[in-house]
Amino acid sequence: MKHAIVAARRRPARRAHRTLFVATLAALNVTAAAFDRASAQTAFTLPAPPFELPLLPPVSGNWTVMIGAEGRYKPDFEGAKHSLFSPIPIFSIRRAGAMDQFRSPRDNASIALIDFGNLRAGPAGKFVPSRKAGSYAALNGLGDVKAAFELGGFIEYFPVDWFRVRNETRGGFGGHQGVVSDFSADFIVPVTRAITVSAGPRFTWESAKAVSPYFNVDAVQAMATGLPMYTAKGGAHSAGAGVQVKYRIDPQWEVHSYVEYDRLLGDAAKSPIVTARGSVNQVTVGVGASYSFDFKIR
């Protein structure tokens, strides 16, 4: 009976997520159609910015924007043993004419302000949704965690065309005020001119302030849940691997699917929220589509 009630709670949320994802794809399709009508030339031109940042190359010139959406079937929350479907946006910017951009499912929204072909760097950001204790049976008695924004930068390097290493380091505000650093490496294998397969290891390091809001159990929560009190510290947070398949329909359109596996490490893995009510094994499956177009800054 308890499982039936939990399942009933989830059905409306899942329907809402599916509706939002379909609406996002529809909006993407309409946007793409508008850009296709101007495909014979650069999509549009923006005025020059009022100033240039020192030590960085000028932003004037042609740029390529990638927008898209994907659906992810991922754990309800970090450390959960049940999964839920969620829509995720795709967004990135690079200089037009640069090396054909490889994108991993781990890549968050970013802008490559520095681009030397095999070396790119720039700002990056991530949105972390709020965690509502009342939404999941495994969180009953635990407090809510507000949504968080993580802002920072990325750097990626291609020592050869078929291998990329990338790091994103971001500071959070809102739900957490910690530091998160994601490391990934991908071997990129073009099977045909249209199909590319990539795979590689993943690792994440997080500070104590990034871990504690999601894995601590304070005195009040311990009394409400029967779980022991627990204070999580920072350090190695997770390690895993991912594999992705991409199909390029034409120079603008691309579709992809992937599987990512993470195993929680350190204090996150030892939290009673995980050991008693969740799982250290975290699997995400996704499928999505993206569209690229050019614009110019004078």
Side-chain angles (χ1 to χ4, degrees):
M1 183 66 180
K2 179 179 179 181
H3 294 297
I5 294 173
V6 173
R9 286 181 182 173
R10 288 184 177 177
R11 288 191 196 107
R14 289 179 177 173
R15 286 197 293 269
H17 282 137
R18 291 192 184 97
T19 301
L20 178 58
F21 181 55
V22 170
T24 302
L25 285 179
L28 174 62
N29 201 33
V30 171
T31 303
F35 287 124
D36 279 336
R37 288 194 291 269
S39 59
Q41 58 184 8
T42 301
F44 52 88
T45 301
L46 297 178
F51 61 89
E52 302 283 357
L53 296 175
L55 305 179
L56 291 178
V59 298
S60 58
N62 294 325
W63 293 81
T64 297
V65 177
M66 177 189 289
I67 59 173
E70 67 182 34
R72 290 183 182 178
Y73 188 68
K74 62 178 183 177
D76 293 344
F77 54 89
E78 193 174 25
K81 60 182 177 181
H82 299 295
S83 295
L84 183 69
F85 176 88
S86 299
I88 303 293
I90 297 171
F91 177 80
S92 66
I93 299 179
R94 73 182 191 277
R95 288 194 179 274
M99 182 189 303
D100 188 25
Q101 187 179 42
F102 168 78
R103 183 182 184 277
S104 162
R106 290 297 183 95
D107 297 358
N108 292 293
S110 60
I111 303 175
L113 294 180
I114 299 174
D115 192 336
F116 296 110
N118 63 342
L119 176 67
R120 299 185 184 122
K126 179 180 180 180
F127 173 71
V128 182
S130 61
R131 193 186 75 177
K132 301 294 185 180
S135 299
Y136 311 103
L139 296 178
N140 285 343
L142 299 169
D144 295 343
V145 181
K146 296 179 180 179
F149 294 89
E150 296 176 355
L151 299 177
F154 82 96
I155 183 169
E156 63 182 25
Y157 177 59
F158 290 79
V160 289
D161 291 346
W162 47 266
F163 182 68
R164 184 197 76 161
V165 291
R166 177 178 171 112
N167 169 257
E168 287 187 25
T169 299
R170 308 176 302 273
F173 61 94
H176 78 82
Q177 288 81 44
V179 176
V180 177
S181 191
D182 291 324
F183 299 84
S184 63
D186 287 276
F187 296 89
I188 307 160
V189 181
V191 180
T192 68
R193 294 183 65 180
I195 300 174
T196 301
V197 177
S198 59
R202 318 294 191 220
F203 176 78
T204 297
W205 178 94
E206 294 191 6
S207 69
K209 288 185 177 180
V211 178
S212 57
Y214 305 96
F215 295 95
N216 279 5
V217 180
D218 61 27
V220 174
Q221 294 167 352
M223 292 181 63
T225 61
L227 298 174
M229 292 179 58
Y230 185 77
T231 301
K233 298 178 181 178
H237 184 71
S238 66
V243 60
Q244 177 178 226
V245 178
K246 288 186 177 183
Y247 177 71
R248 183 173 290 280
I249 301 171
D250 56 36
Q252 284 76 44
W253 280 102
E254 180 181 274
V255 294
H256 63 271
S257 62
Y258 63 88
V259 177
E260 293 274 329
Y261 167 77
D262 284 299
R263 183 178 178 87
L264 294 177
L265 304 173
D267 280 17
K270 298 174 185 176
S271 170
I273 299 173
V274 176
T275 58
R277 299 186 174 186
S279 173
V280 295
N281 299 306
Q282 306 284 283
V283 178
T284 300
V285 179
V287 60
S290 59
Y291 179 85
S292 298
F293 62 91
D294 290 343
F295 73 94
K296 183 177 182 180
I297 298 179
R298 283 182 283 193

